[in-house]
């Protein structure tokens, strides 16, 4: 009997519009849709994608429980042998959606499930311990190489084969240790490793330390009424002519823009160039992302000391964490020079 | 960016709708946004109520900035 597979994708990959349709609730379609059309032949005759579940990333992000409950109910009906989500590449909300679903499928239904993402997708760190996440490229251009990888992994699971370590299978390390007998005992390996280090080589560690970059919370603001507050956003709000040519995704730069003397973010002066959300509301009212109108009123009321006469902006979607870190390291110097004592950072 | 601001010693609050992503990237003070395309307001409301909502959210963010915390905290 053919094994049954349910595939989850977002509205974009289902061909249901772009960001303007990211609000759509879950839907269930018979058979293959979008990437499933390539995945099905790669799976061969042993498995069949019986249905494809689709949901808008915004709906999933905003009404996660409702969306997951509906999806889980449908998956339960289908009685699949495996659930595959994505690939989500470097799309953060999609990665979060895929990760949330595969986690819940395993926990609530006990059905194997996996997804696939790019290294820097925030979904990787959130869900790598909960599920297999295969390593794929950062954009849909990598679909061609992602499909065989996913199909191969799917077949292994469906055939009940042993899933080997992250390097062998190409998934993100899950922090799981499996005992096995090595041909050489530990003391021998340790001495070999030591000799390699002494020879100036770089041996591969057997126990990589986790790279967790956390910053301890700083003490709170003591006297807000005398503090200068600055606004920063990753929501892509820039002057209408986008003077710094900030990219609509995968930003390589940020901008500092004057709001001196302005009571609110005027839609005639500011726009959004962000390619990762439906901009219709923000184009009408940029204060939805850069809350200048509210800040000005609180400034007048004396709740804050003053508002910095500029805001800082970049586009968050697809932007590498290395770039984001570099932007931050760079603009904090300006914030410090200008005696900014608190920052509100808004993200879309 | 949030982490670099905090690392420089400046208190920072992150207003974001998908709070799990905010937690993953390491923000310490987090205020949930209203919606992904409109974190600070609800376009379905009247202009007046919409502004009131935004102001209340900014006030919540300012409160978060004035609250001592030991670990990552979502102020919802």
């Amino acid at each position: 009997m053919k094994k049954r597979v349910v595939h989850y994708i977002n509205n974009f990959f289902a061909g249901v519009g772009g960001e303007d349709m990211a609000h759509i609730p879950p839907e269930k379609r018979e058979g293959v849709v979008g990437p499933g059309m390539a995945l099905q032949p790669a799976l061969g005759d042993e498995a069949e994608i019986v249905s494809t579940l689709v949901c808008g990333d915004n709906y999933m992000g905003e009404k996660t429980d409702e969306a997951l409950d509906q999806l889980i109910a449908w998956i339960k009906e289908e009685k699949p042998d495996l659930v595959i989500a994505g690939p989500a590449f470097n799309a953060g909300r999609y990665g979060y959606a895929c990760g949330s679903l595969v986690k819940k499928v395993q926990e609530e239904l006990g059905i194997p499930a996996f997804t696939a993402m790019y290294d820097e997708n925030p979904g990787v760190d959130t869900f790598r311990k909960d599920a297999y996440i295969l390593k794929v490229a950062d954009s849909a251009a990598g679909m061609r190489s992602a499909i065989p990888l996913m199909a191969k992994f799917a077949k292994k699971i469906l055939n009940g084969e042993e899933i080997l370590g992250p390097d062998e299978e190409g998934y993100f390390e899950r922090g799981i240790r499996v005992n096995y007998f090595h041909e050489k005992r530990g003391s021998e390996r340790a001495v070999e490793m030591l000799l390699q280090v002494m020879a100036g080589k770089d041996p591969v560690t057997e126990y990589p330390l986790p790279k967790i970059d956390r910053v301890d919370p700083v003490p709170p603001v003591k006297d807000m009424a005398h503090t200068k507050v600055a606004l920063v956003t990753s929501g892509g709000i820039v002057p209408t002519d986008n003077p710094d040519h900030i990219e609509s995704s995968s930003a390589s730069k940020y901008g500092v823009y004057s709001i001196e003397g302005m009571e609110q973010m005027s839609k005639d002066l500011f726009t959004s160039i962000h390619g990762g959300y439906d901009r219709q509301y923000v184009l009408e009212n940029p204060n939805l992302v850069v809350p200048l109108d509210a800040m000005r009123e609180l400034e007048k009321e004396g709740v804050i000391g003053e508002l910095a006469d500029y805001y800082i902006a970049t586009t968050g979607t697809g932007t590498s964490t290395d770039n984001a870190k570099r932007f931050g390291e760079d603009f904090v110097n300006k914030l410090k020079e200008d005696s900014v004592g608190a920052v509100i950072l808004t993200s879309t | 960016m949030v982490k670099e601001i905090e690392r420089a010693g400046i208190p920072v609050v992150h207003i974001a709708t998908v709070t799990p992503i905010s937690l993953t990237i390491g923000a310490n003070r987090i205020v949930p946004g209203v919606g992904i395309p409109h974190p600070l307001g609800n376009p379905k409301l009247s202009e007046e109520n919409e502004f009131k909502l935004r102001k209340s959210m900014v006030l919540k963010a300012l409160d978060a900035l004035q609250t001592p915390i030991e670990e990552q905290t979502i102020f919802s």
Side-chain angles (χ1 to χ4, degrees), chain A residues 85 94-104 115 117 123 127 130-131 133:
Chain A
Y94 190 20
Y96 171 71
C98 289
S100 305
L101 182 67
V102 295
K103 181 178 183 214
K104 202 159 166 111
T115 180
M117 300 180 204
F127 297 106
D130 303 305
I133 305 175

Side-chain angles (χ1 to χ4, degrees), chain A residues 202-266:
Chain A
D202 192 16
V204 180
T205 178
E206 291 185 7
Y207 189 67
L209 294 173
K211 282 178 274 175
I212 298 175
D213 179 29
R214 286 284 184 250
V215 180
D216 289 335
V218 295
V221 177
K222 284 213 177 68
D223 183 10
M224 193 58 87
H226 293 94
T227 295
K228 187 193 255 191
V229 182
L231 295 173
V232 179
T233 187
S234 64
I237 307 293
V238 296
T240 42
D241 60 346
N242 190 11
D244 297 310
H245 307 287
I246 294 178
E247 298 89 343
S248 61
S249 75
S250 305
S252 66
K253 52 202 147 186
Y254 68 91
V256 179
Y257 303 114
S258 174
I259 43 174
E260 198 177 349
M262 296 179 195
E263 291 301 310
Q264 51 148 320
M265 298 293 284
S266 155

Side-chain angles (χ1 to χ4, degrees), chain A residues 62 126 215 218 293 301 347, chain B residues 6 14 24 28 36 54-55:
Chain A
E62 291 165 12
T126 313
V215 180
V218 295
D293 54 357
E301 290 170 8
S347 290
Chain B
E6 189 124 30
H14 191 204
T24 304
N28 287 323
I36 291 164
R54 178 157 50 256
K55 192 172 166 189

Side-chain angles (χ1 to χ4, degrees), chain B:
Chain B
M1 294 196 288
V2 177
K3 268 194 297 205
E4 296 317 313
I5 296 168
E6 189 124 30
R7 212 190 302 273
I10 303 173
V12 55
V13 58
H14 191 204
I15 303 182
T17 305
V18 188
T19 51
I21 293 182
S22 184
L23 287 168
T24 304
I25 58 134
N28 287 323
R29 292 177 167 87
I30 301 165
V31 169
V34 177
I36 291 164
H38 43 81
L40 281 130
N42 184 346
K44 286 186 188 141
L45 300 175
S46 68
E47 205 171 302
E48 189 192 344
N49 287 334
E50 210 270 315
F51 176 76
K52 273 188 197 159
L53 173 63
R54 178 157 50 256
K55 192 172 166 189
S56 73
M57 290 190 63
V58 172
L59 275 169
K60 192 188 280 179
L62 293 174
D63 277 345
L65 286 166
Q66 296 171 83
T67 308
I69 55 167
E70 294 293 324
E71 56 184 15
Q72 290 186 298
T73 307
I74 297 176
F75 295 81
S76 50

Side-chain angles (χ1 to χ4, degrees), chain A residues 170-189:
Chain A
Y171 60 83
F172 291 99
E173 197 182 278
R174 301 184 59 187
I176 295 173
R177 264 186 282 173
V178 179
N179 290 326
Y180 72 104
F181 285 102
H182 197 285
E183 55 197 21
K184 291 178 186 170
R185 64 171 190 267
S187 52
E188 239 177 294
R189 304 203 302 275

